[in-house]
Amino acid sequence: MTTTVARIFETMEWGPAPEASGPALEWLQAHGGEFGLFIGGRWVPPSAGETFETINPATRGTLARIAQAGKPDVDAAVEAARRAFAGWSGLPGHARARYLYALAREVQKHSRMLAVLESLDNGKSIRETRDLDIPLVARHFYHHAGWAQLAASEFPGYGPIGVVGQIIPWNFPLLMLAWKVAPALAAGNTVVLKPAEFTPLTALCFAELAQHVGLPPGVLNVITGDGGPGALLVEHPGVDKIAFTGSTEVGRIIRKKTAGTGKKLTLELGGKSPFIVFDDADLDSVVEGVVDAIWFNQGQVCCAGSRLLVQEGIAARLVAKLRVRMEKLRVGSPLDKAVDMGAIVAPVQLERIRGLVDQGVAEGAAMWQPSWACPTEGYFYPPTLFTDVSPAATIAQVEIFGPVLVSMTFRTPTEAVALANNTPYGLAASVWSENINLALDVAPKIKAGVVWINCTNQFDAASGFGGYRESGFGREGGREGMYEYLKTEWDGGRGTGEEALPSPGSGTVAEAAGTRPSSPVPLPPIDRTPKLFIGGKQVRPDQGYSRAIRASDGRLLGEVGQGNRKDVRDAVEAAHAAAAWGRGAGHLRAQILYYIAENLSVRSEEFAARVAAQTGAPLPVGRGELDAVIARLFSYAAWADKYDGAVHHVPIRGVTLAMHEPIGTIGIVAPDTHPLLGFVSLVAPAIALGNTVVVVPSSPHPLSATDFYAVLETSDVPDGVINIVTGDKDVLARVLAEHMDVDAVWYCGGAAGGRAVEEASAGNMKQTWLPGARDWLDGRQGEGREFLRHATQVKNIWIPYGE
Ligand code: NAI
């Protein structure tokens, strides 16, 4: 049959349009098809001489042999990064900016070769590597050249962390490198990067580009291999921070391994992101949105919109439209420019997808695939749609990481939010409605780090990306992402637990020891009622045990209850019941913080005496602490309506709103020193920004916190916003860290306690913060943005506009 234009319009058939693989294959050949490790600015063979193959998943052909790094290699890479650190971090920001700029330019100059290399190694389509992956890589280096330039003026009081170990996955090999390397270098850190074993080639090519621009030796080191060198990097004592993207399973291992080491950590893990369609959505746009959400990169995307939640009335219509579209999707050679979907990265991933799809069918869901067949020479899998899925089904809960969409229906916006949040993950969400009021009402209710309104899978270097809950913590991109690679000037680094604290409080005590009068003021009456403060009430501890609290000279000052697991559980329940606190206005929270300060100031003499009596410090020291407490409450009352988010400048016609959201319920273990100031310094920022708290006050000096109950009761603090459980701090800290309904734990205490908290936090991947040794009286160290940042997480809401 002769081909006519009319017929082409009818069938929409077109022939192959292959991208040339020549330059990329020549580059591989120029290296003899074999690569060493990039350490200290040189290419070195692996110490044990071990290599493995990297293959093209679309053809199963071998592309190159890759070095398997062993322990001596990891040691050498970390050592090289350490040697380079002083020089790199000492450069003026402008000099670092020039290097990052040069890297961005190199990526652009080699963009087509990098795009082809990525397609060959990963199996993803050239359309995506050419139009999305590589341009975004360049964009990240440009954007972060800017942060390097501005670091000194925009992050005063902050400096680089040191040597950073970065472990990345195979789904966006070069893009994940850029997300990690660009901010780390901009901030002045040096890097040891381990790419995924399935996709090392673009990282090796990038190392060569770094060599070409003259990046000082050791600033970036690339070690290849499987999880082995990754684990060695995590455990290496010379590494100051680990940044990981990959499976939740490995993320959990890394959380446990780094616990107690003082290493900083960011984790970007899995997701099961909802794609919510209301019945007034533009269904044709929705269909294209779904294609981008779940068939982009063969669905191997951590933030893939893999759960389609559709309002009941339009479900049948949308599913019918989707099937028509799926029938037209093209799966085939990744280097064909007209192909929508390429190959799955490796046989193991293909098997995982097949297994989960079989399980979906076995559990009773209806599976649909297009009528055409996939190519058989590589690892291909067709786009797949499940309907009649129950929210509890395995395929509705487990991350499939393949081109498989599961759909469910809802009736009301409330039900949509409940279904959307019915997952332990919280990476991203997409909301579709022509009613912007509805979309903007729903977006803040979804527990996710990114919400896309009437769009999906939008990324940009200016907008932070990262998760809530078991999707990990930390952000990549934007100002929020830069903080992940910086530390405060007073952060002494690793191994500085509170036990090593040169506490100003205790210093004053020691100095004053010789001059202290036996009783600074008439003693307050002994309070022998050991109680806890839970849900706005003073309640007896579950076990009824109490502990005597003595002054430094041995006098009995009072007793406090010994809280246990049950008490913590009750307190967490009360804190959850008070979640409306976070939804209210900052102005209201400010009013209440002022009111607490006001009520405290009326009784400040009594509280000052109590602080002095417990710590053995002279009364003026106690008074000094009270002054600081009242000033601090004022600071956070001030901040309550001022810790604004941002509008990011992303390259879309629209806006991206970076909202600071409360984390939820925070478990706080207050420092031992400064009985009241330590307590307030942590509780006030947490509640100012809408969190509810369960606090374990100073173990040796808890009476200031228990005296505080009365202040709280008279200050209109809603029941359950602040809960206080006295007792053994490390026992209670562990219970808090293990509790699945606690969203973050801030722990001040010894190294062993800190380690236990970090280890136990891996259960629900809660955020942990060990504020460490600091001077709580110093306004720079004891309050401010650092605290506010820990009390919030950023949600980026993308809102395109225009008709
Ligand atoms: P993975 O988490 O094992 O691999 C990610 C990176 O971590 C790789 O570089 C790997 O070599 C390294 N690694 C492995 N074990 C390690 C350890 N013990 N210590 C340090 N580093 C280690 O992911 P994998 O096996 O490639 O994929 C398994 C599943 O994980 C996928 O099916 C998918 O569900 C999920 N995944 C999620 C990603 C995301 O972006 N959220 C990315 C890749 C995979």
Side-chain angles (χ1 to χ4, degrees):
M1 191 191 292
T2 49
T3 302
T4 62
V5 172
R7 191 180 135 70
I8 289 173
F9 269 109
E10 182 104 336
T11 61
M12 295 299 273
E13 275 171 0
W14 52 81
E19 172 70 42
S21 56
L25 295 176
E26 278 160 27
W27 179 77
L28 291 174
Q29 266 163 18
H31 289 79
E34 188 156 338
F35 291 85
L37 307 164
F38 185 66
I39 297 176
R42 293 187 313 119
W43 293 95
V44 295
S47 55
E50 239 185 280
T51 60
F52 63 95
E53 281 182 349
T54 185
I55 59 136
N56 176 346
T59 64
R60 307 180 197 212
T62 301
L63 290 167
R65 293 204 72 82
I66 306 297
Q68 167 70 28
K71 185 162 185 323
D73 307 311
V74 176
D75 289 347
V78 173
E79 214 172 283
R82 176 63 59 200
R83 271 200 307 275
F85 177 68
W88 181 248
S89 59
L91 285 180
H94 178 63
R96 287 203 300 275
R98 284 191 174 213
Y99 282 111
L100 285 158
Y101 182 79
L103 287 167
R105 295 286 304 135
E106 281 297 293
V107 168
Q108 274 188 325
K109 279 189 263 177
H110 296 84
S111 60
R112 189 54 61 94
M113 205 274 268
L114 287 166
V116 173
L117 198 58
E118 198 79 305
S119 285
L120 288 172
D121 207 13
N122 169 281
K124 59 167 69 191
S125 76
I126 185 75
R127 195 172 53 83
E128 290 174 6
T129 56
R130 181 196 60 197
D131 298 346
L132 189 127
D133 292 64
I134 309 303
L136 267 181
V137 170
R139 162 90 182 121
H140 266 263
F141 280 97
Y142 280 127
H143 180 79
H144 286 92
W147 281 126
Q149 176 77 21
L150 300 178
S153 60
E154 286 301 297
F155 303 101
Y158 287 81
I161 295 169
V163 173
V164 181
Q166 305 185 319
I167 301 165
I168 56 174
W170 42 258
N171 53 344
F172 293 90
L174 194 61
L175 186 56
M176 290 302 105
L177 174 151
W179 282 21
K180 292 203 161 34
V181 170
L185 297 191
N189 303 279
T190 54
V191 167
V192 179
L193 176 91
K194 200 213 68 79
E197 52 272 47
F198 297 138
T199 54
L201 291 178
T202 46
L204 295 168
C205 188
F206 182 85
E208 205 171 86
L209 299 182
Q211 211 175 11
H212 192 228
V213 303
L215 191 72
V219 169
L220 171 70
N221 306 274
V222 179
I223 53 166
T224 46
D226 57 11
L232 289 168
L233 198 52
V234 167
E235 285 165 39
H236 200 292
V239 171
D240 301 301
K241 174 188 165 106
I242 291 288
F244 171 80
T245 298
S247 61
T248 298
E249 186 193 350
V250 174
R252 203 162 261 136
I253 295 173
I254 293 178
R255 168 67 288 184
K256 288 185 182 158
K257 285 258 178 67
T258 51
T261 62
K263 281 182 189 145
K264 303 211 184 309
L265 181 63
T266 45
L267 298 174
E268 202 267 89
L269 310 173
K272 191 77 185 174
S273 299
F275 187 105
I276 306 169
V277 185
F278 287 100
D279 58 10
D280 64 349
D282 169 358
L283 287 197
D284 292 321
S285 302
V286 167
V287 168
E288 292 314 306
V290 170
V291 171
D292 271 349
I294 187 68
W295 295 308
F296 167 59
N297 205 24
Q298 297 69 252
Q300 302 166 127
V301 182
C302 49
C303 54
S306 52
R307 283 187 299 145
L308 176 64
L309 311 180
V310 194
Q311 201 152 14
E312 208 172 63
I314 53 158
R317 204 145 53 91
L318 179 58
V319 166
K321 273 176 175 284
L322 271 175
R323 287 180 179 167
V324 170
R325 183 70 177 89
M326 288 167 76
E327 201 60 53
K328 294 275 181 211
L329 286 173
R330 302 183 92 207
V331 175
S333 166
L335 288 186
D336 185 336
K337 288 177 239 176
V339 141
D340 295 302
M341 282 169 55
I344 300 298
V345 71
V348 54
Q349 190 62 21
L350 187 61
E351 279 319 305
R352 185 183 150 85
I353 297 167
R354 285 188 177 139
L356 281 163
V357 167
D358 289 349
Q359 197 166 345
V361 173
E363 287 180 17
M367 193 266 275
W368 190 89
Q369 290 174 337
S371 59
W372 41 261
C374 283
T376 48
E377 72 275 20
Y379 307 119
F380 293 94
Y381 197 83
T384 302
L385 172 66
F386 273 103
T387 48
D388 300 331
V389 182
S390 116
T394 308
I395 51 168
Q397 290 294 328
V398 172
E399 182 180 44
I400 300 175
F401 227 65
V404 182
L405 180 65
V406 301
S407 73
M408 282 160 270
T409 58
F410 64 86
R411 289 186 179 166
T412 62
T414 309
E415 207 181 303
V417 170
L419 266 179
N421 289 336
N422 180 24
T423 165
Y425 295 116
L427 197 51
S430 186
V431 180
W432 294 74
S433 166
E434 288 300 291
N435 178 354
I436 195 73
N437 288 327
L438 174 63
L440 288 178
D441 181 45
V442 164
K445 293 178 180 159
I446 299 173
K447 297 197 165 80
V450 189
V451 180
W452 293 295
I453 291 178
N454 293 327
C455 60
T456 192
N457 277 342
Q458 297 286 323
F459 311 99
D460 186 60
S463 176
F465 181 87
Y468 284 20
R469 309 204 279 186
E470 289 188 32
S471 291
F473 42 79
R475 294 289 177 270
E476 299 188 295
R479 180 185 289 272
E480 57 259 41
M482 278 298 287
Y483 278 115
E484 310 290 349
Y485 288 98
L486 293 164
K487 65 173 191 183
T488 55
E489 278 166 1
W490 49 89
D491 183 338
R494 289 180 293 131
T496 51
E498 201 196 17
E499 276 163 1
L501 181 80
S503 152
S506 48
T508 335
V509 174
E511 280 156 31
T515 56
R516 179 169 44 80
S518 62
S519 169
V521 288
L523 288 172
I526 293 174
D527 172 10
R528 290 191 167 274
T529 321
K531 287 195 178 156
L532 314 176
F533 190 68
I534 295 176
K537 294 186 192 56
Q538 300 193 33
V539 295
R540 291 193 184 286
D542 171 54
Q543 287 175 326
Y545 292 122
S546 61
R547 179 165 64 100
I549 302 300
R550 298 187 181 277
S552 57
D553 61 7
R555 278 172 300 121
L556 182 67
L557 291 176
E559 292 186 358
V560 292
Q562 281 285 69
N564 67 4
R565 184 173 288 271
K566 166 85 167 60
D567 299 311
V568 169
R569 276 210 305 267
D570 291 347
V572 172
E573 211 175 306
H576 265 267
W581 175 249
R583 297 193 286 272
H587 173 69
L588 173 77
R589 295 195 291 268
Q591 296 298 302
I592 289 175
L593 282 158
Y594 282 128
Y595 202 19
I596 297 175
E598 187 186 317
N599 286 327
L600 189 61
S601 74
V602 175
R603 297 173 57 184
S604 65
E605 197 57 23
E606 170 199 335
F607 271 87
R610 189 70 136 174
V611 166
Q614 289 175 93
T615 58
L619 185 58
V621 171
R623 287 189 181 128
E625 176 155 344
L626 258 289
D627 289 346
V629 166
I630 288 164
R632 198 139 291 170
L633 287 163
F634 263 65
S635 288
Y636 288 112
W639 273 116
D641 63 353
K642 292 181 192 61
Y643 190 53
D644 293 333
V647 179
H648 288 313
H649 291 275
V650 293
I652 62 164
R653 186 165 148 69
V655 289
T656 297
L657 306 180
M659 286 186 21
H660 288 150
E661 294 197 337
I663 292 172
T665 295
I666 303 183
I668 294 178
V669 179
D672 282 349
T673 57
H674 299 300
L676 196 57
L677 182 63
F679 175 93
V680 166
S681 297
L682 295 169
V683 171
I687 66 164
L689 297 187
N691 300 283
T692 58
V693 296
V694 176
V695 199
V696 181
S698 162
S699 283
H701 315 309
L703 295 177
S704 296
T706 57
D707 292 349
F708 203 61
Y709 300 168
V711 176
L712 295 175
E713 282 166 341
T714 53
S715 304
D716 293 348
V717 181
D719 294 351
V721 170
I722 301 177
N723 305 279
I724 303 169
V725 180
T726 50
D728 183 316
K729 77 192 274 181
D730 283 339
V731 172
L732 298 176
R734 204 184 167 95
V735 177
L736 282 167
E738 283 168 354
H739 200 301
M740 297 300 269
D741 277 339
V742 172
D743 304 294
V745 174
W746 300 354
Y747 173 85
C748 295
R755 181 181 313 120
V757 164
E758 289 184 336
E759 247 165 34
S761 72
N764 69 344
M765 233 33 120
K766 60 175 66 69
Q767 307 187 20
T768 56
W769 181 36
L770 311 183
R774 62 178 66 216
D775 181 352
W776 292 101
L777 283 163
D778 177 349
R780 262 171 29 107
Q781 299 186 29
E783 68 177 57
R785 284 184 178 270
E786 184 191 3
F787 292 77
L788 300 166
R789 231 180 28 256
H790 283 285
T792 48
Q793 47 197 344
V794 180
K795 171 182 282 176
N796 279 294
I797 305 179
W798 291 62
I799 313 168
Y801 48 56
E803 282 294 325

